[in-house]
Structure formats: C-alpha cells, structure tokens
Amino acid sequence: MRGVFPQFVARLILALIAGGSPRNVFAQSAPSEKVVGGPYVVNVGPRSATVMWVVQTGEAFLGTEPNKADKTAPVLRAQKTAFLGLKPGTIYYYQVFPGEAGKGSFKTPSDGEGRFQFVVYGDTRTRHDVHRTVINGILKYASPDFILHTGDLVADGNDPALWPIFFDAERELLRKAAFFPSLGNHEQNALSYFDFLNAKAYYSFNWGNAHFMVIDSDIENAAETKTQRDSFWQEQTRWLEDDLREAQKADFRFLFAHHPPMTAVKRRQGDNPHMTALEPMFEKYRLTAGFFGHDHNYQHYVQNGVHYFVTGGGGAPLYDVDTPPAGITSKVVSTENFMVVQVDGLTARFEARTPDGQILEDTELISEKAPRAQPH
Ligand SMILES: [Fe+2]
C-alpha cells in the first residue's frame, strides 16, 4: 500500500502537465488487459500442440495535434504455450487462463488409417455478420477434428483492429478443433498472421492415412522485388514437389491454397497462371483434391483425375459463377458455404453445405489404394 499513493500523485502531476484530467489518467492506469482472441490450437501433431490466445494490452491513440485522438488502435500480444509428449488419436481438454472462456479441447491425429472429419472454408473477411452465420452453420452441421481456412481471414492483415473481430466470430469453433490456416492476398503477408497463428507460409502434415499440404499462393505479396518473388515461388514449388513425391504412400493427398487454378468467375479467368502451371504436378503425383478460396462462392471441377474445390463463401461479398469452364465443371453455385470432409478408411466424402445446412453437393471418392472389382 505504501507505494500506491506516491504513484498516484506522480500520475496526477504528469496528467496536469499533459493537460489531461486526473480522472482520465487514473482510468488509463487501471489494468486494461483483456483476451480478444482464442484460445485456439495450432501446429497439432500426433505428439504435440500449441495453444494460443491474443491479449489486448491497451489502446494507442494518434492525431494530427497533441492530445487529439483522430485514430485509435488496439495493442495486441499473441500468447502461446506448447504441450509435448501427447498421445496420437486422443482428445485433450485444456485451460490456459482462468474462467470458462479459458477452456477448450482438441484432438491429436491418429497414426494410421481411421475415421476423421475436417471442415474447409475461407474468405471470412468483410461481412462479419455473415462470417458468424457460417461459423454457426459449421458448429451445427459438422463435428470436425480439425479445420482448414483457405485464406483472406481478415480484410487487411496489417490492421490490428480486424483480428479481434475475426477471433470473436470464430471463438466457439476454434476452441473445439485445431486450426490450420493459409495465406490470402488480404493478409498482405502481414507479420500479425504469422505471429497470431504461429504459422509458416507453407507447410504439410499427416492426419491418419491422409497427407495435407498448405501453400502460399499470394505471390504478389510474398516479397519486395520480382526477383525475390520468383525465387520464393521456385523454392516453394520445389518443396511442394518433394513433399508430394514423399507422400505417395498416403491414401489421400490434399492441397490447400488461396488462389484457384481455374474459375467460373469470368472476369477472373486466367488471373492465376502460377497456380494453373502446377496442374501437371498435381496430376503426376496423383493429388486427390485441391481446396482453394479467393472466389466467394462454391466451385467443383474434375480434371485428369484431380478434384478442384473452391470454397470461398465464408463472409466476403459473393461473386457470380457466370462462365463455368467447359468439360471439367461438376458444380458451381454463388452462395455462402463450407465443406465437410469425412475420411473413413479408404473412402472420403466431400459435402458442400450452405450455413443453414442445405447440401449443395455430395461427392464420394474411393482411394486408389482400395482393391478394384475384377472384371468378369
Ligand atoms: Fe482473396
């Protein structure tokens, strides 16, 4: 107690010098830390996981004159802790700060074949109410072991005010299932993305009998100069080819990226030649399916044995599907959506749903590893 009074007097004097009222300074000096994101779980493997949450430590002000606040920005800090020595295929319950809000659960991947479910969705930026509706739909119509986001989580990854809005909409989902993100162009390659999600630009992981690869298709924001961007793309492409080659024993190979190689949105056709150029590699290494975003709708193509899904209906304004590519189109719908993928041994079922549960398309695939029926 002895130190409190002199501290208050010192703040009072500083306030009077700065021209503020004693009441304001006292309010600002009160503890103001609050959790504005999470908890959520990232980097989940069979034996380890990282639990994270985001704390707002205060609010910063900025103006064109002293003591004039034209703009405010939350001051954010990502918190994380790692749990090691976990068991594969196990549900864990955690608590990372006091109270019900600090609790959550997640599942670690099993080693071998098995039954698991994941949800894919993307482009949650811009219309926050629609983002919430999509998350509520996932909570109601799916029970994912983990979730994958196809990018454009927020409208500008550098804007600190947007991340608490994203995490608030995602709260109930993220505390139930591990999160695997991918970079969209709206993330702007911002440090906040890597910091808040403990993420790498590209990475891969196994879940049961399936192999998952996530790449950064946002080549425009990947580096400052064209030479650096080209070198990033070459390095990532080499990594992807090595990773696909090494994953040939998996029963399913799934790829995730923001920009789709093809689209039914006429004004955007041909926009992503760097992704279209990867198609021969996908075919050579027998990719089961690629999942993309960027176009705010649902699209499904089958080309030379590879399935291409666009699931970018997480909240951003919808785009028309006016010109489906001939010969490869399975389904295109301009609506909010998410995908539920159920893997059961050598069978994978891909269900596209609207937030109110309507099934847009239901596709079943049998792994090439399954024994074929003998012709009579
Ligand atoms: Fe995008």
Side-chain angles (χ1 to χ4, degrees), residues 250-299:
D251 294 330
F252 300 102
R253 284 167 288 281
F254 298 127
L255 175 108
F256 301 80
H258 185 62
H259 298 77
M262 67 279 282
T263 182
V265 183
K266 187 171 189 207
R267 64 186 169 82
R268 302 188 124 199
Q269 285 177 336
D271 274 4
N272 308 314
H274 61 307
M275 292 301 292
T276 310
L278 295 177
E279 287 171 5
M281 189 201 290
F282 297 156
E283 292 165 18
K284 180 179 176 187
Y285 295 101
R286 304 187 322 273
L287 184 72
T288 312
F291 298 83
F292 309 90
H294 199 48
D295 289 343
H296 312 147
N297 43 44
Y298 173 74
Q299 305 175 46

Side-chain angles (χ1 to χ4, degrees), residues 123 152 185 258 294:
D123 295 85
D152 281 0
N185 52 309
H258 185 62
H294 199 48

Side-chain angles (χ1 to χ4, degrees), residues 17-325:
I17 293 168
S21 72
R23 193 171 157 269
N24 279 347
V25 162
F26 199 65
Q28 282 172 22
S29 67
S32 57
E33 287 209 352
K34 59 177 178 179
V35 175
V36 293
Y40 48 96
V41 183
V42 293
N43 313 129
V44 170
R47 288 172 181 80
S48 62
T50 299
V51 186
M52 299 195 72
W53 61 105
V54 178
V55 173
Q56 180 174 338
T57 59
E59 194 164 40
F61 300 86
L62 177 142
T64 52
E65 290 170 29
N67 304 320
K68 184 168 172 269
D70 294 326
K71 283 180 183 296
T72 65
V75 183
L76 305 177
R77 187 181 70 220
Q79 299 279 89
K80 64 174 184 237
T81 192
F83 290 98
L84 307 176
L86 307 183
K87 287 185 188 147
T90 306
I91 297 172
Y92 285 95
Y93 299 86
Y94 62 82
Q95 176 143 29
V96 290
F97 52 83
E100 203 54 35
K103 293 180 179 175
S105 63
F106 67 94
K107 191 175 182 183
T108 52
S110 64
D111 277 337
E113 261 191 32
R115 190 180 153 83
F116 60 86
Q117 186 191 97
F118 62 93
V119 158
V120 194
Y121 64 117
D123 295 85
T124 47
R125 67 176 175 87
T126 313
R127 292 185 300 167
H128 306 307
D129 54 331
V130 181
H131 179 191
R132 284 177 189 282
T133 306
V134 172
I135 298 301
N136 287 339
I138 296 172
L139 287 164
K140 190 166 176 188
Y141 297 104
S143 306
D145 293 304
F146 59 103
I147 49 187
L148 287 127
H149 195 296
T150 56
D152 281 0
L153 287 70
V154 293
D156 184 346
N158 285 305
D159 185 344
L162 297 179
W163 289 99
I165 298 171
F166 169 81
F167 282 116
D168 191 48
E170 299 263 333
R171 186 178 312 276
E172 291 308 313
L173 179 61
L174 291 187
R175 62 194 287 199
K176 286 194 170 91
F179 188 59
F180 294 92
S182 54
L183 265 169
N185 52 309
H186 278 268
E187 270 65 69
Q188 300 278 308
N189 210 29
L191 276 177
S192 296
Y193 171 86
F194 298 98
D195 187 23
F196 294 162
L197 299 165
N198 207 38
K200 292 178 178 161
Y202 54 91
Y203 59 96
S204 65
F205 62 95
N206 293 318
W207 199 290
N209 55 341
H211 186 68
F212 294 78
M213 294 151 282
V214 179
I215 63 166
D216 171 12
S217 63
D218 184 27
I219 193 167
E220 287 303 316
N221 289 304
E224 290 279 316
T225 66
K226 185 173 185 311
T227 312
Q228 288 170 331
R229 287 194 290 273
D230 289 348
S231 123
F232 166 76
W233 192 255
Q234 279 169 20
E235 182 189 270
Q236 181 176 247
T237 305
R238 266 199 303 271
W239 170 86
L240 181 62
E241 181 154 17
D242 288 347
D243 203 64
L244 271 165
R245 189 186 299 114
E246 285 166 21
Q248 291 301 296
K249 283 187 181 162
D251 294 330
F252 300 102
R253 284 167 288 281
F254 298 127
L255 175 108
F256 301 80
H258 185 62
H259 298 77
M262 67 279 282
T263 182
V265 183
K266 187 171 189 207
R267 64 186 169 82
R268 302 188 124 199
Q269 285 177 336
D271 274 4
N272 308 314
H274 61 307
M275 292 301 292
T276 310
L278 295 177
E279 287 171 5
M281 189 201 290
F282 297 156
E283 292 165 18
K284 180 179 176 187
Y285 295 101
R286 304 187 322 273
L287 184 72
T288 312
F291 298 83
F292 309 90
H294 199 48
D295 289 343
H296 312 147
N297 43 44
Y298 173 74
Q299 305 175 46
H300 177 199
Y301 307 103
V302 189
Q303 181 177 263
N304 299 328
V306 180
H307 290 256
Y308 296 85
F309 294 100
V310 177
T311 174
L318 295 176
Y319 293 163
D320 280 346
V321 281
D322 43 4
T323 313

